[in-house]
Amino acid sequence: MTKIIINEVGMRDGLQSLQTLMPTSDKKRWIDAAYAAGVRHMEVTSFVPARLLPQLADATEVVAHALTYPNLVVTALAPNLRGAQNALDAGVHRIVAPISVSAAHSQANVRRTPEEMVEEFGRMRDWRDRAGRQEVVLVAGMSTAFGCTRQGDVPLSDLCALTRLVLDAGCDQVSLGDTTGYATPGQVGEAITAVREIAGAKLQAAHFHDTRGLALVNSLVAVQHGIRELDSSLAGLGGCPFAPGASGNTVTEDMVFMLQSMGYETGIDLERLIASRELLSNALPNEPLYGYIARAGLPMNFIAPAA
């Protein structure tokens, strides 16, 4: 049975665009509930200045709580060297650097060109190695890999060229990100095929937004093209403050249902996962929650694959 890793990114990507500030205690309960449901990969926060993202000002405390769980891979996003240093100090297992393929998005998001961001990524790698923390995985999150609301078309040739640069900078993993919800199924397959020729086994993950209703099918195409880790967010929370119009992430519950119904192993208890949405309803009462399975319920003939 093929195992697909579900990386819950709601605690970071799901919260960063909301006007509501989720209390730290509720974030901890969210981690508790996700772990109890069987989620073993979580991107729990981002190490950025609190004045820029007050929603994630409690990054260190949230990471510390996540690290209390055994066998939980704790990931954080870091847009620069200072953020990576703080993430390393906090003890995360993986650091994702947002490296936009779109020059316009890169300037808006990190105030650097894509090439300058790769240079910063190299400095993160050097700092990690000098600190003797080679066990910490550095992920090149290739943002706006399929299109950009600021730039429009993002040529596949640009994605391939930037992938070569992040590999030269020493990345451990490559993740393709549909930051703006522009990706189409055919485009996903084409991009994975092209990037795998460059990155090989380092291309491991994909991240989709459901802006145009294609997150699930794009995720399935990614799996069919060998991707074994997918980002998603409970209740589809999410968006990018610097990508106008980009709405939420792939809904974790719907993703797990789709994959399990096809015989893939996720290690997640779907009923417990759906029940954990109540925490979001209570903590974020004014925020819309998405997802078909939570609304319609599991079919009577659904049988989850045995672990």
Side-chain angles (χ1 to χ4, degrees), residues 28 31-33 35-36 42 64-72 74 93:
K28 293 178 179 179
I31 292 170
D32 297 342
Y35 188 87
M42 301 182 202
H65 181 74
L67 291 173
T68 63
Y69 284 102
N71 303 316
L72 176 61
V74 180
H93 303 125

Side-chain angles (χ1 to χ4, degrees), residues 260-274:
Q260 290 186 352
S261 69
M262 298 178 71
Y264 291 102
E265 179 190 352
T266 67
I268 294 175
D269 184 317
L270 190 49
E271 291 185 353
R272 281 192 172 189
L273 186 68
I274 294 170

Side-chain angles (χ1 to χ4, degrees), residues 142-214:
M142 310 301 285
S143 306
T144 60
F146 303 95
C148 175
T149 52
R150 294 178 179 272
Q151 176 176 306
D153 183 47
V154 175
L156 180 56
S157 59
D158 288 358
L159 171 60
C160 291
L162 202 63
T163 299
R164 291 186 179 94
L165 292 180
V166 297
L167 291 170
D168 290 343
C171 81
D172 299 309
Q173 293 181 10
V174 174
S175 175
L176 299 183
D178 181 28
T179 314
T180 58
Y182 268 35
T184 60
Q187 187 184 19
V188 170
E190 182 182 16
I192 291 173
T193 299
V195 173
R196 177 160 289 117
E197 290 182 0
I198 300 165
K202 287 190 175 182
L203 173 58
Q204 298 182 13
H207 175 114
F208 296 104
H209 283 245
D210 204 36
T211 312
R212 291 164 180 82
L214 292 176

